[in-house]
Amino acid sequence: DAKTTQPNSMESNEEEPVHLPCNHSTISGTDYIHWYRQLPSQGPEYVIHGLTSNVNNRMASLAIAEDRKSSTLILHRATLRDAAVYYCILRVRIQGAQKLVFGQGTRLTINP
Amino acid sequence: GAGVSQSPSNKVTEKGKDVELRCDPISGHTALYWYRQSLGQGLEFLIYFQGNSAPDKSGLPSDRFSAERTGGSVSTLTIQRTQQEDSAVYLCASSSPADTQYFGPGTRLTVL
């Protein structure tokens, strides 16, 4: 399974942007980059995913390096509800079901 | 529509007893996954089902663990002769094939 590396923890202030980095130097051409987050006492929830181009949705933006060996999840204006563990996961581009391989993720703390 | 539901939300059992954990996936999702999360740890894949294909059981930690999915919908994860190290949150997710996974709230299992 392709591996990702994330900082164990990060801290930010409310209403400020947050940039969560992820390194995936062994990524292959068929791997998608997925981000999930897990709020306290809840199951993980999907945030965003991408392949090569930067992606935006209502929750966040995903910036992917040109060589695809790293990516950054961007929360444009953090709120207290964004405090969670954020997981960066690689998924092979295949048809059909595929397990997710979770690392330790980044625990994001938001200060009021 | 309704999300993934799991029952019970909490289960306390004595060492050596058998337990059954239930997952109701999102209607129409053909893929169903089980993960577990020990205290303070990341998620660990256990098993997944996709349609009528043989399940991927590669993550089951021992032969005390088994799962079935009846009628392509509801799934039951069974742990026989529970041990204290089985204490964890057991999470179920469902998806359309190759799509994002939607997680349930989990079942917290405590083995005394």
Side-chain angles (χ1 to χ4, degrees), chain A residues 20-75:
Chain A
L20 297 164
C22 181
N23 288 319
H24 28 78
S25 58
T26 59
I27 192 170
S28 73
T30 54
D31 287 338
Y32 280 83
I33 302 158
H34 283 243
W35 285 81
Y36 281 75
R37 72 178 184 180
Q38 187 173 22
L39 280 65
S41 301
Q42 295 188 27
E45 66 174 344
Y46 167 79
V47 178
I48 199 167
H49 77 279
L51 183 63
T52 56
S53 303
N54 294 344
V55 184
N56 299 292
N57 66 21
R58 64 175 180 81
M59 290 181 71
S61 296
L62 177 59
I64 302 173
E66 201 167 323
D67 63 4
R68 300 206 331 122
K69 294 183 182 230
S70 65
S71 61
T72 303
L73 179 70
I74 302 166
L75 308 178

Side-chain angles (χ1 to χ4, degrees), chain B:
Chain B
V4 177
S5 61
Q6 294 186 244
S7 60
S9 55
N10 283 283
K11 176 72 176 178
V12 180
T13 191
E14 294 179 346
K15 179 181 172 182
K17 300 282 189 183
D18 298 351
V19 295
E20 286 189 351
L21 312 179
R22 177 186 168 107
C23 172
D24 282 89
I26 293 172
S27 178
H29 280 184
T30 57
L32 186 148
Y33 309 77
W34 284 97
Y35 298 83
R36 75 174 175 181
Q37 186 169 32
S38 301
L39 186 63
Q41 301 297 311
L43 278 79
E44 173 189 6
F45 166 76
L46 297 177
I47 184 171
Y48 79 71
F49 300 86
Q50 181 187 343
N52 296 321
S53 303
D56 179 343
K57 303 180 182 180
S58 60
L60 294 178
S62 77
D63 58 8
R64 296 187 295 105
F65 288 73
S66 63
E68 63 178 20
R69 188 178 186 192
T70 53
S73 180
V74 171
S75 176
T76 303
L77 177 70
T78 301
I79 309 172
Q80 295 178 311
R81 306 181 301 282
T82 53
Q83 304 294 312
Q84 288 183 330
E85 61 261 30
D86 300 333
S87 295
V89 176
Y90 289 81
L91 289 152
C92 175
S94 71
S95 75
S96 296
D99 204 348
T100 58
Q101 294 180 23
Y102 295 86
F103 284 80
T107 293
R108 181 175 298 278
L109 175 66
T110 303
V111 182
L112 301 177

